[in-house]
Amino acid sequence: MASMDQYDVIIIGSGIVGGTLACALGRSGLRVALVEAREPDIRIGTDPRVYAITRASEQIFRSLEVWDAIAAQPVCAFTDMEVWDAGSDGVLHFDCAELAVPWLGHIIEPGIMLAALQDRLQTLDGVDLYCPSLFAEIDCVADRVVVTLEDGRSLSAPLLAAADGARSPVRERLGIEVRRHDYHQTSLAARVHTALPHMNTAWQRFLPGGPLAFLPLADGWSSIVWTLPEDDVERIESLDQDAFHAALANAFDHRLGDIVDSGPRKTWPLVRQHAVHYVQERVALLGDAAHAIHPLAGQGVNLGLLDAAVLAGVVLEARAGNRDTGSLHTLRRYERWRRSDNQLMMTAMDGINRLFSNVNLPAGRLRGAGLSLVGLTAPVRHALMRHAMGLAGDLPALARPQ
Ligand SMILES: Cc1cc2nc3c(=O)[nH]c(=O)nc-3n(C[C@H](O)[C@H](O)[C@H](O)COP(=O)(O)OP(=O)(O)OC[C@H]3O[C@@H](n4cnc5c(N)ncnc54)[C@H](O)[C@@H]3O)c2cc1C
């Protein structure tokens, strides 16, 4: 019989969320097996997709000692956010000076975070990376889960954490049900250079077909996320450069002047997906494996990082108390904490998406009045800013400022 490597936790999926969980557990002395299907896609300076990373996520990276490596790369701190509506004259402006903080968040390429996590993981003796590697079998045997890899090696641990993305082969294999909703919208991302400077502001204009965001980059360019009805995306994606620039500047109300240059375009069809259960005996889902959400507020990976921070806290606490880290009793605490927070964010994103897609006049007036009212009411505006920075609600220890 082949030998079996024993671990405290097996993590499947070494994206930003799985890598973060591995760091959080590995630096506390746990033995972690991190199983990843592909070599990481580490592109810096060319990836059309970038993420808006909240202050809470930044704090998680700081706690895990990965932030300095991220901040040494071309990342862009944004100090302001401006949101407005094509169908009314409502405008909402957030400015970090109002809350006496130096920035609201950062715009960062996924490759920068993946590289920093990978470097940090290499310093942790207890973390073994299996990459490229796929699982063949998952079996629960008494108080352990056994993962057999396609190459025949076997790993065992009291807990398996699945951070293997929205399609989650682990979730599928274990038959954990998801609720799924197709938005019939597609997001198109590209890097663009505008005639006017972006002023370190994250801009978002709501159009009837979906929101259009311009996110500031360190080199003065912007990264756009243009959400379009699914039957319009092919037309926009295939426009020649000049026609694309004209359509984009128009959709953005020429807010940053003409579009003078742009890079390759990439698209993602949008679905909302939520696992009915995040946990079962010996297994926890986190990140996109548990929830996929509309990108309109740029929250997806931020929610996944909070999942990782909460799950790490729950596991370390159970271990300190000599309790079974993979028991349903332990894992339910993680599920209760994160599932309700994530559901709230999903419901809010859906409501906003629906409200701003509504072209009838009363809805437009309501939006305009609502945005202006929020803009004028400082306590409401401050509460929204705290949400956008990820600092509202009950934060896990890793996300709290030290
Ligand atoms: C257009 C768009 C814009 C977005 N913008 C933002 C934003 O501004 N801010 C934000 O927070 N979020 C944003 N998101 C969401 C963000 O992309 C996801 O939430 C995030 O990538 C999820 O990370 P993850 O680590 O959970 O999953 P993934 O990044 O999907 O990683 C999963 C990992 O598991 C691996 N894997 C899969 N199957 C297996 C297997 N069988 N065995 C081993 N490994 C496996 C994969 O190779 C991968 O490395 C956006 C999404 C879209 C579509």
Side-chain angles (χ1 to χ4, degrees), residues 56-106:
S57 296
E58 173 188 331
Q59 185 55 50
I60 293 172
F61 289 137
R62 282 185 191 278
S63 304
L64 300 178
E65 296 167 64
V66 276
W67 180 255
D68 287 351
I70 292 175
Q73 294 295 326
V75 301
C76 184
F78 59 95
T79 55
D80 293 62
M81 284 169 73
E82 179 133 332
V83 178
W84 77 108
D85 176 23
S88 74
D89 46 16
V91 182
L92 193 55
H93 189 94
F94 296 149
D95 176 352
C96 66
E98 245 191 277
L99 290 185
V101 292
W103 49 73
L104 297 174
H106 281 83

Side-chain angles (χ1 to χ4, degrees), residues 11-19 35-40 49-54 57 107 110 114 130 133-135 163-170 187-189 215 225 227 266-270 286-289 291-295 297-304:
I11 302 170
I12 298 196
S14 179
I16 295 169
V17 174
V35 181
E36 168 56 49
R38 296 176 294 157
E39 296 290 347
R49 178 155 35 153
V50 296
Y51 296 149
I53 292 301
T54 60
S57 296
I107 304 300
L114 286 170
Y130 293 81
S133 203
L134 287 167
F135 70 87
D164 52 349
R167 292 201 182 125
S168 180
V170 174
S187 281
L188 179 149
L215 305 173
V225 184
T227 300
K266 196 163 180 231
T267 59
W268 287 266
L270 300 184
L286 70 161
D288 274 23
H291 46 77
I293 140 172
H294 199 292
Q299 286 296 335
V301 92
N302 292 299
L303 298 182

